[in-house]
Amino acid sequence: MSAINSQSWVEGANEPDGDFPLANLPFGVVAGEGRGLSIGVRIGACIVDCRALVESGVLARLDQSIRTALSGTTLNALMSLGQSAWRGTRAELSRLLSSETADLRDHPKRSSIMLPAWGMTLRLPCDIGDYTDFYASIHHATNVGSMFRPDNPLLPNWKHMPIGYHGRSSSIVASGAAIRRPHGQTVTQDAGPPTFGPCKLMDYEMEVGALMGSGNALGEPIGIDRALDSVFGLVLLNDWSARDMQKWEYQPLGPFLAKSFASTLSGWVVSLDALEPYRIAMPERPSGDPAPLDYLRGGADVLFDVNLEVSIASAAMRTARTPATVISRGNFKDMYWSLAQMIAHHTSGGCNLRPGDLLASGTVSGPTPESRGCLLERTWRGTEPIKLGDGTERKFLQDGDEVIMRAWCARAGLPRIGFGECRGIITAAR
Ligand code: MN
């Protein structure tokens, strides 16, 4: 790809530390003062209003089906058109936004197509029909398992298949939405009895989510070698978790109300084509670990080198304009199970995935304490509190705390590709 470092005529697109160069072009759904929802594409300091772009006529080279999908208010129609349609759209947007072309730059309607990003709000990018949350980081699974089952941290199935559970899509909210502390059952002794009240051990989980594109028909599994072709793009997910409720309810059928009160999704969907230079080959498993079964093994299987960062700002810090305190730094390449393996496993029994379905990785933790992706691990169940910039300590989240997740890919000689932010503030239980 000779054009990977191409420049754009759009303000802010060529800044080396920006999240949104010409090589990224993530899709989202945006709203602005006095205007309805529309599909947007982020570049530099601007958002391309796709409906206005279609109306301007400059997308005449694209199929009518794509232009219709781009005029909608969710990404589901575009997702359902499949990889060749996404690639064609991406190539045409890239051409129009490049410094080498003037069709859009000099278009008389340009000011109604290229909107300043600061004036727009991101919404959920699509209607999410189903949401599955995996548990695919061996560091996370081992850390959490050792807290709850010290003699038996990884269950016998864990290294043979990506473990997951069916999450709740109705309570997925866009970045920036307030998160109300939930009520639920908690115990002070393992055998109960429980009391009902506000969660006392509120946590976040830093995760990467895949939004499905075309999906598969019921009964027709997606083979591992085609699995990534079915992904529309990646987002960040904060899987808010009520640890005290989780401890009491999670056996025998897994998490339920400890997770279903809210999950926050970042707004910009980064395509796998944009992430292509940051793919890395799946490493050999440590000796002694079982080889994956054939349906979970593919020659093209990869991980993604995506830096992940979590910060917290208390209400007092925001008032005093103290910068948020970075409390963890991890990387999506530290996963044991790949995204392709999750998709192949999910569909292997015949389950159909539909456009807009969300598959999340589970908490992404690395091998070091600094790379642990939730407070349960980061503070080791509250025994090692972390210090915030206002001098206070945290074992778990307090009311008013804002959790800010960021992610980006960067390597010398390549454009930096960012995901933007995934934010949420905890508000008091009602
Ligand atoms: Mn999770």
Side-chain angles (χ1 to χ4, degrees), residues 146-180:
S146 68
M147 291 177 208
F148 289 94
R149 295 178 304 272
D151 45 339
N152 189 21
L154 282 188
L155 294 173
N157 54 15
W158 200 91
K159 288 181 178 175
H160 294 280
M161 61 181 170
I163 299 293
Y165 71 96
H166 288 276
R168 188 76 201 162
S169 58
S170 64
S171 53
I172 297 175
V173 297
S175 178
I179 305 298
R180 189 172 291 281

Side-chain angles (χ1 to χ4, degrees), residues 133-134 165 205 207 239 259 362-363:
D133 196 19
F134 284 93
Y165 71 96
E205 290 187 339
E207 305 197 12
D239 180 24
K259 303 281 191 173
T363 305

Side-chain angles (χ1 to χ4, degrees), residues 131 133-135 140 165 205-207 237-241 243 246 255 259 360-363:
Y131 158 40
D133 196 19
F134 284 93
Y135 190 51
H140 174 66
Y165 71 96
E205 290 187 339
M206 171 89 221
E207 305 197 12
L237 179 87
N238 183 342
D239 180 24
W240 302 98
S241 299
R243 297 300 184 196
Q246 184 178 357
K259 303 281 191 173
S361 61
T363 305

